[in-house]
Amino acid sequence: RTPAEVPDIVARICGICPVAYQMSAVHALEQAAGIRITPEIHRLRRLLYCGEWIESHGLHMHLLHAPDFLNCESGLKAAETYPDEIRRGLRLKKHGNELLEVLGGRAIHPINVAIGGFYRAPSQDEMGRLVPHFVWGLKAAIEATRWVAGFTFPEWESDYDFVALVHPDEYAMNEGTIVSSRGDRWAVEDFEQEFEERQVPHSTALHALRRSTGDGYFLGPLARVHLSFDRLSPAALRTAEEVGFQLPCRNPFRSIVARGLELIHAYEEALS
């Protein structure tokens, strides 16, 4: 396969989070080829990532995670008791897919990401039509975060080693330095020198460990919020204060609130 085909191939790894795989691929290929992207491409790629976070986080919060707290066996069951909230989640997901379609070429498994940039730039009219939806979505994301912050969370914590990308100038999505909450730092290209994924007999999921310690580590929204809290958008920071979300937070059940803060951030950044 040619290098240009790789972003399209890896986008098919997941129907919900294809941008993460595409960005990893194009960054690796650009680094290998010595390609430097422009600030405009950097902003467009972050906007594409915002689209993925909006559709993925909105879906995850309302249909995958919230049912666990609502004593419902599925999102469909939750919709019977909480129809307005589940409709909100579906509408949020639709917003993210609309942005992926405009900027990524299609709503599922986008095809517009290219080495060095994009195959096609979106028109001003295409982007402008999304603005009213995203204005509503920002308010809805704040409401959704307030809603999940009111769930009853089990009182359980663990001394997690949070690991995530951290960037000095922005809330890290696809660029930065790998940072551990225990004070370690690595360049992205050194990831495999410190982190190892293993298959184990009792699970189909890979088990990830730090090579130097043999210990596991914690990823995802709670890790990112923990390590880059001060770089969240103003609306996300205000909502965190309003709902009493405080760091350090080592309760994994509260990761749904961290996901809500990132959802707010994604909408606010997309509108900016």
Side-chain angles (χ1 to χ4, degrees):
R1 296 289 189 172
T2 65
E5 294 178 275
V6 173
D8 288 349
I9 293 172
V10 299
R12 289 160 175 78
I13 292 174
C14 181
I16 299 175
C17 56
V19 176
Y21 297 102
Q22 288 190 311
M23 292 299 99
S24 297
V26 296
H27 286 179
L29 291 166
E30 287 164 359
Q31 184 175 3
I35 296 173
R36 284 181 165 272
I37 62 170
T38 65
E40 291 78 14
I41 294 298
H42 173 78
R43 290 191 65 189
L44 282 175
R45 285 183 175 174
R46 284 187 63 87
L47 181 60
L48 183 67
Y49 229 125
C50 286
E52 174 177 285
W53 275 12
I54 288 168
E55 57 92 5
S56 177
H57 283 17
L59 173 72
H60 192 286
M61 289 172 66
H62 290 82
L63 292 172
L64 303 181
H65 203 172
D68 293 339
F69 295 100
L70 303 175
N71 196 29
C72 297
E73 62 187 22
S74 68
L76 293 176
K77 195 70 176 178
E80 297 177 6
T81 309
Y82 302 91
D84 293 338
E85 288 81 1
I86 300 305
R87 286 194 194 99
R88 176 183 61 205
L90 291 172
R91 188 172 174 184
L92 295 174
K93 184 185 186 306
K94 184 179 180 180
H95 289 169
N97 286 128
E98 288 173 341
L99 180 52
L100 287 181
E101 186 169 8
V102 169
L103 190 52
R106 61 187 184 190
I108 308 296
H109 307 317
I111 54 173
N112 194 34
V113 173
I115 299 171
F118 294 86
Y119 290 110
R120 172 187 177 274
S123 70
Q124 188 171 356
D125 288 343
E126 287 175 317
M127 299 302 294
R129 284 194 291 269
L130 298 180
V131 171
H133 300 292
F134 276 58
V135 170
W136 177 91
L138 176 56
K139 297 176 182 177
I142 294 171
E143 292 170 0
T145 306
R146 290 169 179 161
W147 180 54
V148 300
F151 291 165
T152 299
F153 300 101
E155 292 300 327
W156 191 87
E157 293 189 353
S158 181
D159 185 21
Y160 290 116
D161 181 13
F162 292 112
V163 174
L165 284 178
V166 171
H167 193 281
D169 304 319
E170 59 194 20
Y171 192 82
M173 291 180 175
N174 54 359
E175 295 181 18
T177 301
I178 304 170
V179 174
S180 160
S181 58
R182 295 181 181 171
D184 302 308
R185 304 175 73 89
W186 305 268
V188 171
E189 56 267 29
D190 294 330
F191 176 84
E192 291 183 332
Q193 303 301 314
E194 174 60 20
F195 301 95
E196 177 185 7
E197 293 181 332
R198 303 175 184 173
Q199 285 189 307
V200 293
H202 65 272
S203 175
T204 57
L206 292 174
H207 282 223
L209 302 171
R210 287 186 56 177
R211 293 179 185 273
S212 60
T213 64
D215 296 331
Y217 53 99
F218 196 105
L219 304 171
L222 191 58
R224 291 191 293 266
V225 168
H226 197 276
L227 292 167
S228 298
F229 184 78
D230 60 338
R231 296 174 185 84
L232 282 169
S233 71
L237 290 172
R238 288 194 301 269
T239 305
E241 182 177 7
E242 176 190 336
V243 302
F245 183 84
Q246 295 180 330
L247 298 179
C249 176
R250 296 186 174 89
N251 185 332
F253 297 99
R254 295 183 181 272
S255 64
I256 192 171
V257 183
R259 193 177 296 273
L261 297 176
E262 287 195 335
L263 178 63
I264 296 168
H265 177 98
Y267 266 106
E268 192 163 30
E269 178 167 338
L271 284 168
S272 68

